[in-house]
């Protein structure tokens, strides 16, 4: 036990979570919570979790804000995003830039299909922070959603993925503040590149990414459903 504790304290992430935090004081109330999951049977899975999230987004009246580490949508998922965008409400997605993301294959797919994602009408924000973000969350009107689901085809069919939907102002405000703090280190993507933003510069990447991306972004296409 002592060895395991020492190893944990030696990890860089431990510095971000100081010992002695009062988690009870940090906890905020919620009025309702709903658990969304994929089927857990042994047979072929249905994309139940994605379908529930899609229905929530299509039913939104005021706002949809998605956070996902990577986006590797299927044709049905692209169509679903387009239907949400057609509603005319603010619809945004925050994800890793290819310079920051640590999933080489998922970033390669994004490089190939970024224009297709933009064509759906969603506003895309790329994260240029100091680490690869693995947050998976959403703000849908007054609902706050957090969990393990990536917006990709593999997660869409995994029976281990789940999302919790919370109703309650305190938790919504907490999640929104976190997402907006991260967005402050993002750049909006356009077909021509990035829209300028004071204080944020796009990061470049060298080897091995600069060597591998030109190859992997095309080799990955026949296997997109596995990413």
């Amino acid at each position: 036990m002592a060895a395991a504790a020492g190893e944990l304290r030696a990890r860089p992430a431990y510095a971000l979570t100081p010992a002695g935090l009062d988690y009870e004081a940090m906890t905020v109330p919620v009025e309702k919570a709903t658990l969304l999951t994929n089927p857990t049977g042994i047979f072929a899975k249905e994309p139940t979790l994605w379908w529930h999230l899609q229905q929530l987004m299509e039913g939104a009246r005021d706002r949809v804000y998605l956070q996902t580490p990577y986006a590797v949508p299927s044709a049905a998922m692209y169509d679903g995003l387009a239907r949400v965008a057609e509603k005319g409400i603010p619809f945004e997605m925050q994800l890793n830039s290819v310079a920051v993301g640590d999933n080489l294959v998922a970033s390669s797919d994004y490089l190939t299909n970024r224009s297709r994602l933009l064509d759906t009408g969603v506003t895309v924000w790329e994260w240029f922070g100091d680490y690869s973000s693995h947050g998976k969350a959403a703000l849908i009107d007054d609902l706050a959603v957090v969990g393990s689901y990536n917006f990709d085809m593999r997660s869409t069919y995994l029976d281990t993925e789940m999302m919790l939907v919370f109703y309650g102002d305190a938790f919504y405000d907490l999640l929104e503040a976190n997402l907006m703090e991260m967005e402050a280190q993002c750049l909006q993507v356009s077909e021509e590149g990035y829209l300028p933003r004071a204080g944020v510069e796009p990061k470049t990447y060298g080897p091995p990414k600069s060597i591998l991306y030109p190859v992997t972004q095309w080799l990955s296409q026949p296997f997109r459903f596995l990413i």
Side-chain angles (χ1 to χ4, degrees), residues 85-148:
E86 287 171 358
K87 296 172 63 68
I89 61 176
F91 179 32
E92 301 167 272
M93 176 184 289
Q94 182 189 123
L95 44 67
N96 283 312
S97 65
V98 295
V100 172
D102 59 10
N103 186 323
L104 182 70
V105 182
S107 292
S108 298
D109 183 86
Y110 175 64
L111 275 176
T112 305
N113 296 289
R114 180 159 47 193
S115 292
R116 188 175 181 186
L117 182 62
L118 292 172
D119 285 344
T120 66
V122 63
T123 297
V124 178
W125 295 95
E126 285 189 17
W127 160 253
F128 283 99
D130 296 329
Y131 56 90
S132 178
S133 169
H134 288 266
K136 298 126 186 172
L139 302 172
I140 304 175
D141 285 346
D142 52 0
L143 299 176
V145 187
V146 295
S148 64

